Amino acid sequence: RQAVFPRVSPQGTRRREKQKAPGCRSRRPCIRGFASRGTPISAKRRRPPDLRREVCILKTLYIIGGPMGAGKTTVCQVLKKTLPDSVFLDGDWCWDAHPFQVTEETKQMVLENICFLLNQFLHCSAYENIIFCWVMHEQSIMDQILANLDRTDCSAKEISLMCSPDELRKRLEADISEGKRTKDVVNRSIQRLPLYDRVGSRKIFTDGRTVDD
């Protein structure tokens, strides 16, 4: 009987218990690399695959330029309320100072301010549509802003709102009479109109059109 069922010494029992898989509740000793009932330990520990995948939402950056009086701010405010999860930045807010000074230092400062804020909006998961407007009468201004933005998973739409010189003068003079602008902006804005022909943006003329148009 001893030959058929050999006794196992206490030391042998301890050796067999050491070979059990961690966390194995079975009293049966486990073969190395396998849990009880022949299931691989790695399979026991492996979590079931998560079938839910994060959906990558493509953000849209609207860069809207144009001369003073073309309707940029008005259009952007409407877009902010129309587009889902949107935020609006006017470039002039980034150097609203008194007295207003245009120097190489202040121009560099405002560009850095604009890029910093736009990147903050682009990195924030709360916003899907980022709307930005500024005069941007030169292609180099748009290029410098875009070059300093993190546009991962983001598409940019470059637009310039335009109008005829007569319409622009009419709008600016109305703003001047209401105290919104100073008289010097009329000639400066009209002189800049031809510069937008060299800007590679989509041109939208606003003469005789409403904001909804």
Side-chain angles (χ1 to χ4, degrees):
R1 187 172 182 179
Q2 290 180 353
V4 178
F5 302 104
R7 292 183 179 180
V8 180
S9 64
Q11 294 180 352
T13 303
R14 284 194 295 269
R15 282 197 298 270
R16 290 167 66 180
E17 288 176 351
K18 289 181 182 180
Q19 294 179 356
K20 287 184 178 181
C24 179
R25 296 182 181 179
S26 174
R27 294 183 179 180
R28 298 169 57 189
C30 303
I31 303 174
R32 179 173 296 178
F34 286 81
S36 61
R37 300 181 182 177
T39 305
I41 295 175
S42 58
K44 282 278 187 179
R45 295 178 180 175
R46 188 181 301 122
R47 293 181 179 179
D50 189 0
L51 300 180
R52 295 175 302 174
R53 295 183 179 179
E54 294 184 359
V55 178
C56 180
I57 299 177
L58 184 67
K59 293 175 179 276
T60 304
L61 171 64
Y62 295 88
I63 300 183
I64 301 177
M68 291 179 284
K72 300 184 301 296
T73 303
T74 304
V75 169
C76 289
Q77 290 288 5
V78 172
L79 285 175
K80 181 184 69 176
K81 298 176 181 179
T82 304
L83 299 173
D85 301 325
S86 60
V87 61
F88 168 46
L89 173 66
D90 190 326
D92 287 339
W93 299 342
C94 296
W95 61 347
D96 187 358
H98 181 77
F100 184 71
Q101 303 179 56
V102 181
T103 65
E104 292 301 320
E105 181 182 10
T106 58
K107 288 192 291 185
Q108 182 63 30
M109 175 205 67
V110 69
L111 284 172
E112 292 177 1
N113 291 346
I114 289 170
C115 293
F116 173 80
L117 289 173
L118 289 179
N119 275 321
Q120 291 290 91
F121 295 145
L122 289 169
H123 294 157
C124 183
S125 61
Y127 303 121
E128 180 181 346
N129 294 284
I130 297 91
I131 307 162
F132 169 68
C133 78
W134 206 24
V135 173
M136 293 181 287
H137 57 288
E138 297 176 356
Q139 183 65 43
S140 59
I141 300 174
M142 280 193 178
D143 292 342
Q144 188 171 352
I145 292 173
L146 290 172
N148 287 279
L149 298 182
D150 180 8
R151 291 189 288 158
T152 305
D153 298 326
C154 173
S155 64
K157 298 183 182 296
E158 304 169 32
I159 301 168
S160 294
L161 298 183
M162 305 295 296
C163 60
S164 64
D166 292 338
E167 179 67 20
L168 185 59
R169 182 183 297 276
K170 176 182 175 182
R171 295 179 185 180
L172 292 175
E173 288 177 349
D175 289 345
I176 293 171
S177 63
E178 295 177 5
K180 297 180 180 179
R181 303 183 190 272
T182 57
K183 294 181 179 180
D184 60 309
V185 301
V186 178
N187 292 332
R188 189 165 72 246
S189 297
I190 293 176
Q191 291 173 359
R192 286 178 175 174
L193 281 176
L195 299 178
Y196 288 93
D197 294 336
R198 296 193 290 270
V199 177
S201 58
R202 179 187 175 189
K203 308 299 190 298
I204 299 179
F205 284 84
T206 61
D207 296 57
R209 304 177 71 175
T210 64
V211 178
D212 295 332
D213 296 336

